[in-house]
Amino acid sequence: MANLTKRDLVVRISNETGMVQQDVLNVIQRTLDHLTESLSNGQAVELRNFGVFEVKLRKARVGRNPNRPEHDVPIPPRAVVKFKAGKEMKTKVMKLSQTIASQAQPTSGSSPAA
């Protein structure tokens, strides 16, 4: 299964709407730029039925190199982006897990008789 790229989105939206691909790319890029700008200013970004992006601060901690455990490595605090999926996305993704689980279970009668 291949990843969905920005280019894939541009082509799909262009085909669905009849918009020129360059115009679609500009809209997508500006959207991403505004999301990034908001997050870099510490604002959460909420997209209804999709999810919420928010900035969390990781505390400083001590790391260790497994090859040289006697040397502690200080890891400074840093800001990271967290994503929490919205209700609609969770529901759709849950269907995927049910599909995977049903494919993993052997069907009755498919095992050889002893």
Side-chain angles (χ1 to χ4, degrees), residues 20-94:
V20 177
Q21 286 186 11
Q22 188 60 46
D23 293 341
V24 174
L25 176 62
N26 289 338
V27 169
I28 290 174
Q29 189 57 55
R30 285 180 184 227
T31 301
L32 296 174
D33 291 344
H34 286 291
L35 293 174
T36 302
E37 182 181 342
S38 293
L39 290 167
S40 67
N41 291 329
Q43 296 174 299
V45 177
E46 181 178 339
L47 304 172
R48 298 269 184 217
N49 297 322
F50 183 76
V52 178
F53 296 91
E54 57 188 349
V55 177
K56 297 282 189 175
L57 187 62
R58 280 197 177 163
K59 293 188 272 184
R61 59 193 173 95
V62 176
R64 291 185 181 76
N65 180 344
N67 296 325
R68 300 185 72 198
E70 65 277 1
H71 290 68
D72 291 344
V73 179
I75 300 173
R78 63 182 177 153
V80 295
V81 176
K82 297 286 186 175
F83 176 73
K84 182 179 178 188
K87 184 177 179 180
E88 192 172 304
M89 181 187 290
K90 282 182 185 177
T91 303
K92 289 185 177 187
V93 172
M94 186 61 76

Side-chain angles (χ1 to χ4, degrees), residues 7-21:
R7 178 80 184 130
D8 296 334
L9 284 173
V10 168
V11 171
R12 283 184 184 183
I13 293 171
S14 176
N15 290 340
E16 290 173 5
T17 63
M19 291 175 62
V20 177
Q21 286 186 11

